Amino acid sequence: MSADNTCPDVSVPLRNLLNSVQCIRDRVKDGESNESSGGFNLQNFWDTLSQAVKAASQEATKLSLSFSKPPLPSPQDCERLAESIQKSVLALSTVYYWLPKSQGMTLRRVVRDGTADVLDGLIQLIDIILSSPLQSLSQEQLTSTGGVWLSCDRFAHLPRDNQAAVLDVLLSCTAVVKDALEEMEQAQAESQDPFSDVLEEEDLVSRGNQDTYWSESDRQLLGPCRGLMKASAACLKKLSTAVKSNGNVGTAENIAQLDDLADIAKEISPSVDDLALSLYPPMDHSAVELNACRLASVLKKVLEITRASHVCVEAELSWVQFLDGAVDHNLQKAKTLAQACH
């Protein structure tokens, strides 16, 4: 933070406000919800939350305008402004706490992160006002105010129940896995041994595994590993469709099953990334085998949890069984090829 350029009478309530909003933000990030004893109305929650977010956005605008040009607000006006902002921040955090875990942990994380983003934006804005010259509206202050507005506007696009929240997670994971697969396929298409056109095939094999290209044994191992990555993409895509078509938030058990699906599905993309990274030359076949086993284990768990959940109606069983077999087939092939190269 740069030197304090506000007069002491004005900076004291702003500093107190900054500390207060930071404490509220920290509680939102770490705190527990007030578990309802029945009677929770999700639509009422969203209506009330939307009003609280709108109020926070308006308070941020008032704060920014008050310190956009001379004269400074009087100490009394600044005190009233700080109290008004604190009131809106407390209201926003209180409404967030209304959302019980029984409505879904995935949904709750989304609302928590959205609420924390608004509070982070306000903290940054107050901090900038405290540390900026007041002769004119700084670009930093404009950007920070816009950041609060953007965080508030995002609430209109948040998923409204746990089914929608879980679907968002699955679609995000699908995109990451698809990107990793495309990068690997592109690398495979572009990469070749620079000496492949001047050496006989037996000489190429004897050259072994070089640092900058895939050997023949590497290329053979790429096949089943890409098969596991493709199975990952297919699994996420099919699961997304099943959650969209069959997901239900009518009971606590169904909501919890959706959370379980989101939690295990989130393990797929980092496992795909680990496998993809180990495939680049120079390839360590032991590392590839280990990462292939880990990815296969995650996929088997996803399929097992899917099969046991309410989203897996009879029509979904065929793809679950098919992918289960595809994972086994590609893993066995990858292990055999990797061990042959040890």
Side-chain angles (χ1 to χ4, degrees):
M1 190 193 291
S2 61
D4 189 346
N5 290 294
T6 56
C7 73
D9 288 343
V10 172
S11 68
V12 170
L14 286 181
R15 289 195 179 283
N16 290 338
L17 176 63
L18 180 65
N19 291 334
S20 177
V21 178
Q22 285 172 333
C23 288
I24 293 167
R25 184 271 319 271
D26 292 343
R27 284 203 299 270
V28 163
K29 286 186 172 179
D30 301 329
E32 297 292 327
S33 64
N34 301 324
E35 193 61 43
S36 66
S37 56
F40 178 81
N41 185 304
L42 191 58
Q43 184 57 55
N44 181 55
F45 165 79
W46 280 110
D47 291 344
T48 312
L49 184 63
S50 297
Q51 289 302 312
V53 169
K54 185 178 177 183
S57 180
Q58 290 169 344
E59 291 297 330
T61 305
K62 278 197 317 195
L63 174 66
S64 194
L65 286 173
S66 297
F67 290 91
S68 61
K69 59 183 180 181
L72 287 174
S74 68
Q76 293 81 8
D77 286 343
C78 191
E79 191 73 53
R80 280 193 289 269
L81 181 61
E83 285 175 5
S84 183
I85 294 167
Q86 182 168 341
K87 187 178 174 183
S88 76
V89 165
L90 280 169
L92 176 59
S93 64
T94 300
V95 178
Y96 157 69
Y97 281 122
W98 287 358
L99 184 63
K101 292 179 181 178
S102 57
Q103 288 295 318
M105 294 303 293
T106 310
L107 177 65
R108 196 164 179 275
R109 278 191 287 268
V110 168
V111 180
R112 178 199 65 198
D113 292 347
T115 304
D117 282 347
V118 173
L119 300 179
D120 279 333
L122 273 168
I123 288 166
Q124 185 188 53
L125 177 59
I126 299 164
D127 199 29
I128 285 168
I129 288 170
L130 274 166
S131 59
S132 299
L134 294 162
Q135 284 74 20
S136 62
L137 181 62
S138 70
Q139 184 58 48
E140 230 186 339
Q141 187 175 328
L142 273 172
T143 303
S144 184
T145 307
V148 177
W149 293 342
L150 193 62
S151 296
C152 291
D153 290 345
R154 286 198 194 108
F155 274 82
H157 308 289
L158 293 183
R160 285 320 200 232
D161 62 25
N162 210 45
Q163 179 190 11
V166 169
L167 189 58
D168 277 0
V169 169
L170 295 175
L171 293 174
S172 174
C173 294
T174 303
V176 173
V177 170
K178 188 180 172 189
D179 286 347
L181 189 54
E182 286 174 356
E183 282 178 24
M184 178 52 57
E185 288 175 344
Q186 185 179 350
Q188 197 173 352
E190 291 175 355
S191 173
Q192 67 176 56
D193 181 355
F195 300 102
S196 61
D197 55 348
V198 294
L199 291 175
E200 297 296 330
E201 190 171 337
E202 57 268 24
D203 294 324
L204 280 173
V205 173
S206 69
R207 278 163 51 77
N209 188 13
Q210 302 298 304
D211 285 357
T212 55
Y213 68 90
W214 281 299
S215 67
E216 187 54 38
S217 58
D218 291 344
R219 287 186 175 277
Q220 287 179 358
L221 186 51
L222 282 174
C225 291
R226 278 180 54 216
L228 284 172
M229 293 168 72
K230 284 182 175 179
S232 303
C235 181
L236 285 165
K237 187 177 178 183
K238 289 288 190 182
L239 182 54
S240 298
T241 303
V243 167
K244 187 175 183 179
S245 302
N246 311 319
N248 180 282
V249 290
T251 68
E253 184 182 1
N254 285 355
I255 289 171
Q257 286 178 357
L258 289 170
D259 280 333
D260 288 343
L261 287 169
D263 289 343
I264 187 64
K266 281 191 284 192
E267 295 182 26
I268 294 179
S269 50
S271 300
V272 166
D273 282 342
D274 288 345
L275 177 58
L277 285 171
S278 66
L279 292 173
Y280 283 95
M283 191 188 282
D284 178 342
H285 294 124
S286 296
V288 171
E289 182 183 356
L290 178 63
N291 287 320
C293 288
R294 285 175 176 166
L295 175 56
S297 175
V298 169
L299 290 174
K300 297 282 278 187
K301 192 71 176 173
V302 172
L303 293 168
E304 178 189 328
I305 292 173
T306 300
R307 194 195 299 262
S309 77
H310 70 278
V311 306
C312 188
V313 297
E314 195 172 343
E316 310 291 342
L317 276 173
S318 57
W319 69 260
V320 172
Q321 290 167 347
F322 173 79
L323 287 176
D324 198 53
V327 170
D328 285 338
H329 170 77
N330 282 295
L331 176 62
Q332 194 51 54
K333 198 171 175 185
K335 286 170 74 173
T336 300
L337 288 166
Q339 288 166 11
C341 302
H342 287 182

